Amino acid sequence: MPESTVAASAARALLEFAASEGACRAALFERSGIVPSELEDPDSRVPFLKYVALMRASKELCGDPAFALHFGESVDVSEISAACMIVEPTGSWADNFEQMNRYGRLAVDLADGGRRFTLEREDERVWVVDTRPNPNDFPELTESTFARAVCTSRRLLGGRQPMKAVHFTHAAPPYVDEYERVFQMPVVFESDRNAMLTGAEWLDYKIEVLPRSVNEVLRAHAEELLERLDGSKSTRGRVEELLTPLLRTGGASVGAIAGRMGLSRQTLFRRLKAEGVTFEKVLDELRRKLALQYLGGGKVSVNEAAYLLGFSAPASFSRAFKRWTGSSPRAMCAPKAHSNI
């Protein structure tokens, strides 16, 4: 079944904040099961369970039971995922709500793929409800999400606060005083929902976060990432996503990929077979696709492409390229003759 994931940028922001609070980086990587290369590309994905382990390791290594609250309070949403800042420049907060849900998946994508947040209106009161399933299994995500939403709003609005109360389904923890300090509003525990209460008047509030030109660039990139994310729901898509950053390291083996997916080699083989492919075929076709992108765009030389794709020597790459296309990579890179007409 599809795996819940978070953006590598979100995991990196969490790790960096924990390190700034005194946690040992090496211990964070070891305890979470994350390897540094997984965080190199901010647009790549990290298994949600590794993020959970990272959060819990951070709490313990920092000696801070309220670590998730402090993470949400201190780290801006732009560090979690820039896509979460995309808005319609002329739209109200209500107009942008569905868009926030859409691009929020790039920060945290749950396996069910549904809308995480809903709006529930009660006369002049509006609840922003987090519908994440089994939230009390990992209440730290609710803590950090709500703390970030409230504190970011307070900063953007010069101290004004659209939220009037916050509700949590989990029981009150020993650090209730920190909730009161961070949220500065009524906090209810053991509620029937994880939600933030605001007034209906805020639904018409115009949001202006980024210049239109920046907004459009981010939107185009976010749409590309969403397409990639949906493709990764298949086992093949997930394997391709994990393989890409490993190619140049020479570590693109079935064992390495199975380990990162939390699967045995046999289970990975079975899942790929069910989709009509083998690991070797996925690797070969990924290399072909990337080779055409690298050389077709004139981005790299043949030798550089061979390195980026994990070939032991340019000659090996040239043989593979000829098998894929019927011509040599150097012929593809050769300058084209231009007409004087």
Side-chain angles (χ1 to χ4, degrees):
M1 63 180 292
E3 179 184 35
S4 298
T5 61
V6 302
S9 55
R12 185 168 63 186
L14 174 56
L15 185 140
E16 293 296 336
F17 180 68
S20 73
E21 294 295 300
C24 170
R25 289 175 184 273
L28 289 169
F29 280 119
E30 181 180 0
R31 298 270 290 273
S32 66
I34 296 172
V35 296
S37 61
E38 287 183 275
L39 305 184
E40 288 179 359
D41 179 359
D43 293 333
S44 64
R45 310 297 298 178
V46 173
F48 185 71
L49 290 179
K50 289 188 177 183
Y51 184 81
V52 172
L54 178 60
M55 176 69 80
R56 291 177 174 164
S58 298
K59 290 175 65 174
E60 185 174 338
L61 293 171
C62 292
D64 180 9
F67 177 85
L69 280 179
H70 299 150
F71 175 52
E73 175 188 25
S74 304
V75 178
D76 191 81
V77 67
S78 62
E79 296 183 52
I80 303 301
S81 174
C84 294
M85 300 179 66
I86 299 172
V87 298
E88 292 290 346
T90 59
S92 66
W93 189 87
D95 294 332
N96 278 285
F97 185 75
E98 287 306 318
Q99 185 164 273
M100 295 174 192
N101 254 334
R102 175 178 174 78
Y103 293 127
R105 289 181 55 214
L106 293 176
V108 178
D109 182 57
L110 302 177
D112 61 10
R115 297 163 68 251
R116 180 177 168 188
F117 296 95
T118 62
L119 290 180
E120 297 181 8
R121 185 160 184 169
E122 299 174 354
D123 297 325
E124 293 306 307
R125 306 196 313 169
V126 177
W127 292 95
V128 182
V129 184
D130 185 346
T131 65
R132 179 170 63 98
N134 305 312
N136 291 357
D137 291 347
F138 185 44
E140 294 91 341
L141 181 60
T142 313
E143 287 182 321
S144 61
T145 300
F146 283 12
R148 182 167 295 109
V150 167
C151 293
T152 297
S153 296
R154 190 180 295 142
R155 286 193 292 269
L156 290 175
L157 298 173
R160 289 191 298 159
Q161 180 53 258
M163 303 304 173
K164 299 179 178 180
V166 287
H167 283 221
F168 295 94
T169 56
H170 58 266
Y175 48 92
V176 168
D177 288 350
E178 275 303 281
Y179 276 85
E180 295 174 354
R181 184 191 66 79
V182 170
F183 290 107
Q184 301 175 26
M185 64 185 65
V187 178
V188 176
F189 296 98
E190 297 186 78
S191 174
D192 62 348
R193 52 189 160 185
N194 286 306
M196 296 176 286
L197 175 65
T198 187
E201 69 275 9
W202 283 98
L203 296 181
D204 296 324
Y205 182 81
K206 300 294 183 182
I207 300 175
E208 291 185 21
V209 178
L210 298 170
R212 183 184 294 270
S213 58
V214 176
N215 209 48
E216 290 308 312
V217 170
L218 280 178
R219 187 192 304 276
H221 184 56
E223 289 296 333
E224 180 183 337
L225 293 178
L226 280 175
E227 184 177 348
R228 187 191 308 174
L229 179 59
D230 289 335
S232 72
K233 296 298 182 182
S234 67
T235 299
R236 176 177 183 155
R238 181 65 177 144
V239 169
E240 288 181 344
E241 181 183 18
L242 292 171
L243 274 173
T244 301
L246 288 181
L247 289 175
R248 68 178 183 276
T249 71
S253 67
V254 65
I257 299 302
R260 293 194 175 197
M261 295 178 71
L263 305 173
S264 68
R265 291 164 55 101
Q266 291 73 22
T267 298
L268 178 55
F269 283 138
R270 283 198 301 271
R271 290 189 180 181
L272 288 172
K273 184 178 180 180
E275 294 180 6
V277 294
T278 64
F279 179 83
E280 291 73 19
K281 182 177 181 180
V282 174
L283 175 59
D284 190 62
E285 292 185 357
L286 177 64
R287 280 173 157 171
R288 176 184 180 279
K289 178 178 71 174
L290 293 175
L292 292 173
Q293 289 178 6
Y294 292 154
L295 299 180
K299 299 175 182 177
V300 298
S301 67
V302 172
N303 287 355
E304 289 170 333
Y307 164 73
L308 291 172
L309 296 173
F311 285 91
S312 58
S316 301
F317 170 55
S318 294
R319 287 192 294 272
F321 194 89
K322 190 165 186 179
R323 171 170 56 83
W324 294 328
T325 67
S327 62
S328 73
R330 296 193 184 280
M332 186 172 183
C333 293
K336 307 291 189 297
H338 294 283
S339 170
N340 292 324
I341 300 176

